[in-house]
C-alpha cells in the first residue's frame, strides 16, 4: 500500500475489518517523531506491506481513511517472486 505522509514519524497498516470479499485497512502512526527534535515539514510517498488473511476473490481492499479502493499487489516488494 502506498501513501503520502510526513517524514519524521514511522507508519504501519492496521487491518480494521477482514470480512471477505472486502478488507478494510488504515495507515497508522507506529512511532512518533522524537520530542524536541527539529523535523522538516515535508511529506513523501511511503509504502507499507500487509499480509491479508486470505486470497482476494472478487472483493477489494479499502482505505478506511479515504474510503477508496487500494490496488492489491502480489509478491514481495523488492524481492524475487519465485
Amino acid at each position: 500500500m502506498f501513501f503520502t505522509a510526513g517524514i519524521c514519524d514511522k507508519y504501519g497498516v492496521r487491518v480494521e475489518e477482514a470480512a471477505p470479499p472486502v478488507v478494510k485497512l488504515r495507515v497508522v502512526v507506529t512511532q512518533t517523531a522524537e520530542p524536541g527534535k527539529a523535523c522538516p515539514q515535508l511529506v513523501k510517498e511511503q509504502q507499507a506491506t500487509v499480509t491479508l488473511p486470505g486470497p482476494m476473490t472478487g472483493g477489494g481492499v479499502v482505505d478506511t481513511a479515504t474510503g477508496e479502493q487500494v490496488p492489491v499487489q502480489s509478491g514481495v516488494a523488492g524481492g524475487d517472486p519465485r
Side-chain angles (χ1 to χ4, degrees), residues 4-39:
T4 303
I7 63 169
C8 294
D9 293 333
K10 303 291 182 202
Y11 303 90
V13 176
R14 179 176 66 214
V15 177
E16 293 200 328
E17 184 179 330
V22 176
V23 174
K24 295 182 179 180
L25 306 174
R26 180 177 292 268
V27 174
V28 294
V29 175
T30 58
Q31 182 179 350
T32 57
E34 188 177 322
K37 186 176 180 183
C39 179

Side-chain angles (χ1 to χ4, degrees):
M1 172 180 203
F2 290 94
F3 59 96
T4 303
I7 63 169
C8 294
D9 293 333
K10 303 291 182 202
Y11 303 90
V13 176
R14 179 176 66 214
V15 177
E16 293 200 328
E17 184 179 330
V22 176
V23 174
K24 295 182 179 180
L25 306 174
R26 180 177 292 268
V27 174
V28 294
V29 175
T30 58
Q31 182 179 350
T32 57
E34 188 177 322
K37 186 176 180 183
C39 179
Q41 296 293 319
L42 298 173
V43 296
K44 71 174 186 174
E45 186 176 81
Q46 301 191 43
Q47 179 180 354
T49 302
V50 64
T51 301
L52 299 177
M56 297 302 299
T57 55
V61 177
V62 175
D63 179 347
T64 59
T66 64
E68 294 185 18
Q69 191 126 3
V70 176
V72 177
Q73 299 175 350
S74 60
V76 177
D80 186 343
R82 287 184 277 164

